[in-house]
Amino acid sequence: MDFNLNEDQRQFADLAQQFAAEELAPFAAKWDEEHHFPKDVIQKAGELGFCSLYSPESEGGMGLSRLDSSIIFEQLSMGCTATTAMLTIHNMATWMITSFGSEVLRQEWSESLTTGEKLASYCLTEPGAGSDAASLQTKAVREGDEYVISGSKVFISGAGATEMLVVMCRTGEAGPKGISAIAVPADAAGVIYGKAEDKMGWNAQPTRQITFENVRVPVAYLLGEEGQGFTFAMKGLDGGRINIATCSIGTAQAALERATEYMNERKQFGKPLAAFQALQFKLADMATELVAARQLVRLAAFKLDVQDPEATAYCAMAKRFATDIGFKVCDEALQIHGGYGYIREYPLERHMRDVRVHQILEGTNEIMRLIISRRLLDENAAAIL
């Protein structure tokens, strides 16, 4: 059991770290302040393969593992949390299209999505259906060679600025077996975007409600077969939980490093803060919990890669633990900075605002606990222990 990164993984991390340092970190504060979506920078990331990390190579993707992808996303999120989070969403939607799309759909969209020339949003959440994906109400009715889609989605990242929407909708009976996934061009007639939400964090990407008013798309834009949408959504959520946990880890690592620098720079009572044992202990706890969270995330990613039967539970554990620890570390780093941590000249308050949403997305951490406890109580789940 070797926990060290291999040579390829170290190179991936170095490349992502360089991109984050040059293209993300210097501008993250301005993007946050101006609510600017840096689409051009995401497209630059696409030139390095960061827009299709785990999409199949046959469709122009990198074909990397979820573990490799997590290593890359961690480095990127140290530069800008919100932009990296949008990259993870695009990667998930692109993976669905390139993996499960028809030949017609893949021929039309794979190249532009895997290169980042065009971006994709993932549309699952509805006003009355969040973590309970099986209860979604958006409908798709087949009429000849088209589906007619009606309904609405909320909290859609990138909405209004992306070119493709992967929409989970109901094509059949109530419950999970009636859900299908359909690719919808973002500019299709009848797609209506609400106002950009005024959010606490993630200000470098737009979030909007989307209404579908009798939107017509070709039957060929169905992913897989009718009724497979819930399966795709659950697979997407497993990977999405790894991705969002990773963004928390990367952001917390950036906060920890900044706090360490500050403790060596700042002097009080004639000596640097780093000389005070109470703060040394605080820093030690932050580092210890962050390493533990990172290892759990990487274990979950490995479980997902090898299709372990307990992968879903491990992804839920990683998401619950890493997002809580990520927020805690960012909060402690802000506290170490005192009043300076609260002003926007320093990145700590932005880090804390950006990671807070990670405890809510891809299922709240309360839902994660429910998934874990149910699996533990399953008589067939002894392997998780």
Side-chain angles (χ1 to χ4, degrees), residues 12-24 48 75-76:
F12 293 150
D14 288 345
L15 180 61
Q17 184 180 51
Q18 181 181 355
F19 185 85
E22 295 176 358
E23 302 289 347
L24 300 178
L48 298 176
Q75 295 299 321
L76 293 176

Side-chain angles (χ1 to χ4, degrees), residues 19 23-24 27 31 35-47 51 80 82-84 86-87 90 109 112-113 115-121 157-165 186-187 193 203-206 208:
F19 185 85
E23 302 289 347
L24 300 178
F27 313 104
W31 296 338
H35 291 222
H36 172 69
F37 181 48
K39 193 170 183 178
D40 58 330
V41 177
I42 293 177
Q43 290 169 336
K44 282 186 181 179
E47 295 173 5
C51 284
C80 180
T83 303
T84 303
M86 185 63 224
L87 265 172
H90 170 79
W109 285 91
S112 59
L113 290 173
T115 60
E117 177 189 348
K118 295 181 180 179
L119 302 180
S121 293
S157 294
T162 54
E163 286 79 21
M164 172 56 75
L165 310 173
D187 60 355
Y193 297 98
N203 291 320
Q205 54 161 280
R208 290 183 170 89

